[in-house]
DNA sequence: CGCTTTTGACCCGCGC
DNA sequence: GCGCGGGTCAAAAGCG
């Protein structure tokens, strides 16, 4: 009897404990729900505030444009923006240079002009004009006034307007250059002469290039843009030919990229971007454009402050893209991952290199770069977390209790479940380890690559630190993403990345998360996300809205 | 048929 | 001035 009583009491105790734990979990769930509700409310609030800002800016821009439209002929740009409101425009870094000045001076040289074919000349004019900068003017402003930061920009929409005006002015040249009317050509030249005056004091360097090293089996990485191959050349010292691509999203887009295999490790694809998109980008292309824009902005901002195009370590400087999409988050990420980014100068081209092949970079989840529409036969979908080490300090938030509807769809096949933090952590860690084990250690290859000397140094210096960070990254990834100040944009970027990939890859998606070479859905901090200042929240809301509604 | 890729020729900058 | 190498052009071929 006593045994039975004690047994029943034990059962009761177990039940009580279960009930207690269940209640505790319920309480946690409620807390998480409350937190998420607050986040959601904050997003809505930010979105509304940004909407107001945008309408204000549109009003003021309209008024300024109407005053300048007769001389600038920028109708096409406005029309284009109006026609494609769902598109966003990001600028890839480029460099205002005296090289252009030289060439431009040739245009005014009748002897030179007479010797050139007219069509060629007009084409060259067009191309060179389009290779103007997206961020230079803004960086100049930063140089002149170091207090100009993202927060100040958001506080003072006037600054942002100025940037947009600069971009508009730039686009005016781009769009009008497509017109072969002689009069417009003259306008272009004259406007360039004005720019030349501004650039007289610029260092004699060429356009900034953003070089991305990633492991990729396919001929080229899928970055969301459409490219047309226009040339191929065997570069010296590399048995693999270098392919030249031109952006075909817009017939006048000056952006070009070079793709070549690393001579020391054929699994590494080196993609170099150059130029500024003069058209709205598809959402699926914003990820790459954001990364390159942020990297270019970083190198440029640093170069402007140091008066040299070469830097050994990125220096953080909060800035924004010319259309107000912010690079601060990625720049922060780059700063937090010194092995990820390095800068150098090749052929007078300031080049910033994003090395996504480093297993200990703490940034192994740039897998969207290596995802490819070419590998559709081995589709898989898995989620990686881009989390900068800095994120580990963030408080926790568990998505398992998220009331966000998107969480459900993520779990259904495309995203890792957030139900178990430990499992998530192990999943992410395994994913990372798989990535690492898939390839050989690239460190031996980097020794032979000038571009990566800085990477190596930084990597060596920070390897132990990053190793430990990596161990914790996976564990804190879900927490970090949730309460990361960039969470909204991270979410938005993931959705856009997924949507873009899905649109570009119509084949079925399996749930195999470990399959090599598969298409991946990746969360990553984007320039669209903002720094931690509350003043920046408005853009976060808009970005999240844009992507979610898509 | 239209678009993309290939590929040899050409241009141009840079170093010697 | 010359040669080298990177980058681009443009006609031809390929492809769907």
């Amino acid at each position: 009897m006593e045994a039975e009583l004690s047994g029943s009491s034990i059962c009761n105790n177990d039940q009580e404990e279960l009930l207690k734990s269940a209640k505790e979990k319920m309480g946690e769930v409620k807390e998480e729900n409350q937190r998420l509700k607050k986040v959601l409310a904050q997003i809505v609030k930010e979105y509304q505030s940004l909407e107001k800002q945008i309408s204000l800016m549109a009003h003021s821009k309209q008024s300024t444009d109407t005053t300048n439209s007769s001389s600038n002929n920028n109708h096409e740009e406005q029309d284009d923006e109006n026609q494609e409101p769902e598109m966003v425009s990001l600028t890839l870094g480029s460099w205002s240079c005296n090289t252009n000045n030289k060439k431009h001076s040739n245009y005014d040289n009748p002897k030179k002009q007479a010797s050139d074919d007219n069509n060629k000349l007009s084409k060259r004019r067009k191309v060179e004009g389009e290779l103007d900068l997206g961020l230079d003017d803004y960086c100049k402003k930063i140089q002149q006034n170091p207090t100009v930061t993202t927060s100040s920009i958001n506080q003072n929409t006037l600054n942002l307007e100025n940037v947009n005006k600069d971009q508009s002015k730039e686009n005016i040249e781009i769009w009008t250059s497509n017109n072969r009317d002689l009069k417009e050509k003259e306008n272009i030249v004259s406007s360039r002469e004005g720019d030349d005056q501004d650039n007289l004091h610029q260092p004699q360097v060429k356009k900034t290039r953003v070089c991305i090293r990633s492991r990729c089996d396919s001929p080229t990485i899928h970055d969301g843009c459409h490219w047309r191959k226009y040339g191929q050349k065997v570069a010296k010292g590399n048995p693999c030919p270098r392919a030249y691509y031109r952006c075909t999203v817009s017939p006048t887009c000056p952006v070009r990229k070079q793709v070549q295999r690393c001579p020391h490790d054929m699994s590494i694809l080196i993609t170099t971007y150059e130029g500024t998109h003069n058209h709205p980008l598809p959402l699926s292309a914003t990820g790459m454009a954001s990364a390159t824009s942020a990297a270019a902005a970083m190198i440029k901002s640093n170069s402007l402050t140091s008066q040299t195009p070469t830097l050994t370590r990125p220096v953080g400087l909060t800035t924004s893209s010319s259309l107000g999409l912010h690079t601060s988050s990625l720049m922060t990420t780059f700063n937090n991952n010194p092995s990820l980014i390095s800068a150098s100068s090749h052929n007078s081209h300031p080049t910033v290199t994003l090395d996504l092949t480093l297993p200990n970079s703490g940034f192994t989840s740039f897998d969207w770069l290596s995802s490819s529409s070419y590998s559709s036969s081995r589709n898989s979908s898995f989620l990686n977390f881009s989390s900068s080490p800095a994120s580990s300090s963030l408080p926790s938030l568990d998505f398992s209790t998220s009331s966000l509807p998107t969480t459900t769809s993520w779990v259904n096949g495309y995203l890792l479940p957030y139900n178990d933090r430990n499992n998530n952590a192990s999943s992410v860690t395994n994913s990372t380890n798989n990535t690492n084990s898939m390839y050989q250690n690239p460190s031996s290859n980097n020794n032979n690559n000038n571009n990566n000397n800085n990477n190596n140094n930084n990597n060596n210096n920070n390897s132990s630190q990053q190793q430990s960070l990596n161990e914790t990254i996976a564990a804190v990834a879900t927490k970090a993403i949730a309460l990361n100040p960039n969470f909204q944009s991270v979410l938005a970027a993931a959705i856009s990345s997924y949507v873009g990939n899905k649109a570009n890859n119509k084949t079925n998606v399996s749930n195999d998360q470990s399959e090599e070479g598969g298409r991946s859905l990746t969360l990553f901090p984007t320039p669209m996300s903002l720094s931690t200042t509350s003043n920046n929240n408005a853009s976060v809301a808009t970005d999240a809205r844009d992507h979610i509604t898509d």
Side-chain angles (χ1 to χ4, degrees):
Chain A
M1 283 291 286
E2 289 179 0
E4 285 179 6
L5 285 173
S6 63
S8 65
S9 67
I10 288 172
C11 285
N12 286 337
N13 285 339
D14 287 344
Q15 285 179 347
E16 282 178 5
E17 283 180 4
L18 282 172
L19 199 64
K20 198 175 178 181
S21 63
K23 283 182 179 176
E24 284 178 357
K25 283 185 179 177
M26 283 281 287
E28 288 178 8
V29 166
K30 285 180 180 176
E31 281 182 20
E32 305 288 357
N33 265 332
Q34 291 296 325
R35 242 181 288 178
L36 285 168
K37 280 180 183 176
K38 284 180 183 176
V39 170
L40 195 61
Q42 182 69 19
I43 291 174
V44 172
K45 192 178 176 183
E46 292 159 357
Y47 162 60
Q48 288 172 346
S49 65
L50 184 68
E51 211 171 28
K52 285 179 184 175
Q53 281 191 10
I54 288 174
S55 61
L56 281 173
M57 287 167 57
H59 269 292
S60 55
K61 190 166 186 278
Q62 261 189 341
S63 60
T64 53
D65 285 343
T66 48
T67 57
N68 298 329
S69 58
S70 58
S71 59
N72 289 338
N73 295 328
N74 58 350
H75 303 295
E76 285 176 306
E77 182 205 6
Q78 290 179 24
D79 290 344
D80 190 74
E81 286 180 356
N82 292 336
Q83 285 168 2
E84 300 185 78
E86 77 281 6
M87 307 281 265
V88 294
S89 181
L90 290 172
T91 53
L92 192 65
S94 54
W95 197 271
S96 184
C97 58
N98 288 342
T99 305
N100 280 351
N101 297 347
K102 281 184 187 175
K103 292 181 178 180
H104 295 158
S105 65
N106 286 339
Y107 301 145
D108 298 328
N109 184 349
K111 192 176 179 180
K112 176 73 177 175
Q113 277 192 357
S115 66
D116 287 344
D117 178 85
N118 280 338
N119 288 333
K120 275 189 176 180
L121 180 62
S122 61
K123 280 181 184 175
R124 290 183 184 275
R125 277 184 178 182
K126 182 179 67 179
V127 168
E128 287 157 8
E130 287 161 1
L131 288 174
D132 282 346
L133 306 182
L135 291 164
D136 282 356
D137 292 326
Y138 182 65
C139 288
K140 274 187 218 167
K141 288 183 177 67
I142 290 174
Q143 189 185 18
Q144 289 162 5
N145 181 12
T147 61
V148 175
T149 62
T150 308
S151 58
S152 66
I153 286 294
N154 281 281
Q155 281 175 328
N156 186 359
T157 56
L158 186 61
N159 287 342
L160 196 56
E161 271 181 32
N162 290 337
V163 175
N164 287 337
K165 280 180 190 173
D166 293 337
Q167 178 67 24
S168 299
K169 186 181 174 185
E170 190 175 302
N171 286 343
I172 290 160
E173 295 181 15
I174 292 164
W175 288 103
T176 53
S177 65
N178 196 30
N179 191 329
R180 302 302 174 95
D181 184 78
L182 183 61
K183 196 174 181 179
E184 288 189 4
K185 282 183 186 174
E186 289 170 357
N187 287 338
I188 291 166
V189 172
S190 62
S191 68
R192 280 205 192 108
E193 286 170 351
D195 290 343
D196 292 349
Q197 294 297 323
D198 294 338
N199 296 333
L200 281 176
H201 303 292
Q202 292 287 329
Q204 186 153 357
V205 286
K206 296 177 181 177
K207 296 172 290 296
T208 301
R209 287 177 175 176
V210 178
C211 177
I212 295 176
R213 292 167 52 86
S214 63
R215 300 201 179 265
C216 184
D217 293 333
S218 53
T220 180
I221 59 177
H222 172 63
D223 49 22
C225 276
H226 296 123
W227 303 93
R228 179 185 172 187
K229 191 176 184 180
Y230 68 89
Q232 181 169 304
K233 189 105 178 179
V234 176
K236 192 183 179 184
N238 191 345
C240 295
R242 175 184 299 160
Y244 299 91
Y245 293 88
R246 184 175 286 145
C247 177
T248 58
V249 174
S250 166
T252 61
C253 181
V255 175
R256 293 167 190 206
K257 75 171 179 180
Q258 301 172 8
V259 178
Q260 71 179 135
R261 293 278 167 190
C262 176
H264 311 293
D265 185 352
M266 298 299 181
S267 67
I268 295 178
L269 197 68
I270 302 172
T271 307
T272 305
Y273 293 86
E274 177 184 314
T276 303
H277 288 285
N278 64 357
H279 53 82
L281 285 172
L283 282 175
S284 57
T286 57
M288 178 65 76
S290 300
T292 53
S293 179
M298 174 171 279
I299 183 178
K300 283 167 60 178
S301 59
N302 182 75
S303 300
L304 284 169
T305 51
S306 64
Q307 295 298 322
T308 169
T310 301
L311 65 156
T312 56
R313 194 179 186 286
V315 176
L317 177 60
T318 304
T319 182
S320 73
S321 70
S322 59
L323 285 180
L325 297 171
H326 297 262
T327 61
S328 60
S329 174
L330 261 181
M331 291 170 75
T332 302
T333 306
F334 293 152
N335 279 325
N336 290 332
N337 296 272
S339 63
L340 178 70
I341 184 171
S342 65
S344 59
S345 185
H346 296 286
N347 298 328
S348 302
H349 285 278
T351 304
V352 58
T353 302
L354 306 182
D355 196 335
L356 310 178
T357 65
L358 298 175
N360 293 333
S361 66
F363 217 107
T364 58
S365 49
F366 260 102
D367 286 12
W368 98 94
L369 294 175
S370 58
S371 65
S372 170
S373 58
Y374 294 96
S375 57
S376 58
S377 60
R378 294 187 295 169
N379 276 330
S380 68
S381 180
F382 59 94
L383 175 66
N384 287 322
F385 293 98
S386 292
S387 176
S388 66
S391 304
S392 59
S393 61
L394 293 165
S396 85
L397 177 63
D398 194 334
F399 267 72
S400 63
T401 59
S402 170
S403 59
L404 291 174
T406 49
T407 305
T408 307
S409 62
W410 288 8
V411 174
N412 287 338
Y414 301 112
L415 297 179
L416 283 177
Y418 288 91
N419 295 332
D420 185 327
R421 287 183 193 180
N422 294 329
N423 287 345
N424 287 344
S426 62
S427 298
V428 175
T429 306
N430 288 338
S431 172
T432 305
N433 288 339
N434 287 340
T435 305
N436 294 344
S437 62
M438 266 194 296
Y439 309 106
Q440 60 181 353
N441 189 346
S443 60
S444 59
N445 303 317
N446 293 337
N447 292 332
N448 298 322
N449 191 318
N450 290 335
N451 281 351
N452 294 311
N453 286 340
N454 293 333
N455 287 348
N456 282 332
N457 294 336
N458 291 328
N459 195 37
N460 291 336
N461 294 338
N462 298 280
S463 59
S464 59
Q465 179 191 357
Q466 287 176 351
Q467 180 64 39
S468 61
L469 285 171
N470 278 339
E471 291 170 0
T472 60
I473 282 174
V476 304
T478 54
K479 309 176 189 177
I481 285 175
L483 279 193
N484 190 312
N486 303 322
F487 155 69
Q488 294 95 331
S489 56
V490 169
L491 175 66
I495 294 170
S496 72
S497 174
Y498 169 64
V499 170
N501 282 339
K502 194 174 181 182
N504 290 319
N505 193 345
K506 295 176 181 176
T507 53
N508 292 333
V509 177
S510 76
N511 293 334
D512 184 359
Q513 296 177 357
S514 61
E515 198 170 1
E516 181 185 356
R519 186 169 62 81
S520 62
L521 167 61
T522 307
L523 290 182
F524 58 96
T526 81
M528 292 174 286
S529 59
L530 302 172
S531 61
T532 55
T533 54
S534 60
N535 295 321
N536 300 329
N537 289 337
S539 293
V540 172
T542 281
D543 294 330
R545 174 211 49 169
D546 287 342
H547 289 74
I548 289 172
T549 49
D550 269 314

